[in-house]
Amino acid sequence: MIYIVDDDDAFRDSLIWLIESSGHNVRPFSSAEAFLAICHEDMAGCLVTDIRMGGMTGLELHSRLVESHIMLPTIIVTGHGDVPMAVEAFRRGAVDFVQKPLDDTYLLARIEECLRQDRVNQKSRQRHRSFAERFALLTMREREVAAYVVDGKLNKQIADALGISIKTVEVHRSRVMEKMQVTSVADLMQFGLPAEISGIWQDKIQKDETA
């Protein structure tokens, strides 16, 4: 889905015609506020938004999406562009900053790039969602061991830190790998740990090392 947010009715209609003629589904909105009302983290597609609108601007809209963890690739369009605005748009993660009058071919190519990027983002979100679901199956002790493993600690170091035997560490470590459906520490480390768990146990690791 290509979401268009622009308060200029005529321009919005011309964008709808252009994008639909290229074979894409379009959902238009006349304000950033109206668009935000339907947003959710699992949205797929891309956003094309004007920068200057009554109420919230396109830059403000993009910032709100990022703050809400809605990673929708965004193209910002303006009829009053300047270098500082373009820099700000890219700094906030926009895919492109396009000035009116639009080059139709260029805009459609950038939309295709947004959609390719979104497909990558969707796969990444799905992987991390699956990882989080598997992580939830771990016991607290297994999470402790996992945190030390991700930190690069050896079994003996983990055993000393937790006050358990090396054999027990090996058992917990094996269960972690089985439940997380990974075959190596490298596979586990590529995901890291949920921030709230990782932060807690990194603090514990540091305290153990300085004790």
Side-chain angles (χ1 to χ4, degrees):
M1 182 67 69
I2 313 301
Y3 300 95
I4 298 175
V5 181
D6 197 307
D7 61 354
D8 182 326
D9 293 344
F11 183 74
R12 191 173 65 251
D13 288 343
S14 70
L15 273 183
I16 294 171
W17 179 86
L18 172 67
I19 297 172
E20 286 186 338
S21 69
S22 68
H24 294 298
N25 294 318
V26 177
R27 187 171 180 184
F29 298 83
S30 60
S31 71
E33 291 81 0
F35 175 64
L36 282 173
I38 62 93
C39 286
H40 55 84
E41 289 188 19
D42 292 327
M43 293 180 77
C46 81
L47 168 65
V48 180
T49 179
D50 197 358
I51 197 167
R52 296 179 185 270
M53 298 180 285
M56 188 180 299
T57 69
L59 277 179
E60 291 170 338
L61 169 59
H62 181 59
S63 292
R64 287 282 295 275
L65 293 176
V66 172
E67 290 167 3
S68 301
H69 306 290
I70 300 171
M71 308 310 291
L72 200 63
T74 300
I75 297 171
I76 296 177
V77 178
T78 181
H80 311 278
D82 57 18
V83 172
M85 292 171 69
V87 170
E88 181 67 7
F90 288 123
R91 187 183 70 80
R92 299 187 185 188
V95 172
D96 210 338
F97 183 89
V98 183
Q99 287 188 261
K100 300 175 184 177
L102 299 179
D103 179 325
D104 293 352
T105 300
Y106 179 79
L107 178 62
L108 291 175
R110 299 309 288 154
I111 286 174
E112 291 296 340
E113 175 59 30
C114 283
L115 294 177
R116 282 192 291 272
Q117 180 176 318
D118 184 63
R119 285 192 288 271
V120 172
N121 292 345
Q122 291 286 342
K123 288 180 181 178
S124 177
R125 282 196 292 271
Q126 181 56 44
R127 282 200 314 152
H128 282 81
R129 184 179 294 113
S130 175
F131 177 87
E133 291 171 353
R134 284 176 268 156
F135 187 85
L137 300 176
L138 302 183
T139 66
M140 186 54 68
R141 179 62 87 188
E142 288 165 352
R143 295 182 189 189
E144 290 181 280
V145 170
Y148 282 109
V149 169
V150 169
D151 194 54
K153 302 303 179 184
L154 301 176
N155 287 352
K156 184 179 186 307
Q157 294 172 306
I158 300 173
D160 291 342
L162 297 179
I164 57 181
S165 70
I166 294 177
K167 181 62 177 177
T168 301
V169 171
E170 291 173 350
V171 170
H172 287 310
R173 188 167 180 154
S174 176
R175 287 174 179 168
V176 167
M177 306 297 275
E178 180 181 353
K179 290 182 180 180
M180 297 306 298
Q181 298 176 24
V182 295
T183 57
S184 70
V185 174
D187 291 337
L188 186 64
M189 290 179 69
Q190 71 172 320
F191 292 101
L193 295 175
E196 65 275 15
I197 297 298
S198 183
I200 290 171
W201 294 111
Q202 288 304 316
D203 288 344
K204 177 178 173 58
I205 289 168
Q206 291 172 6
K207 289 177 182 178
D208 289 343
E209 289 177 341
T210 57

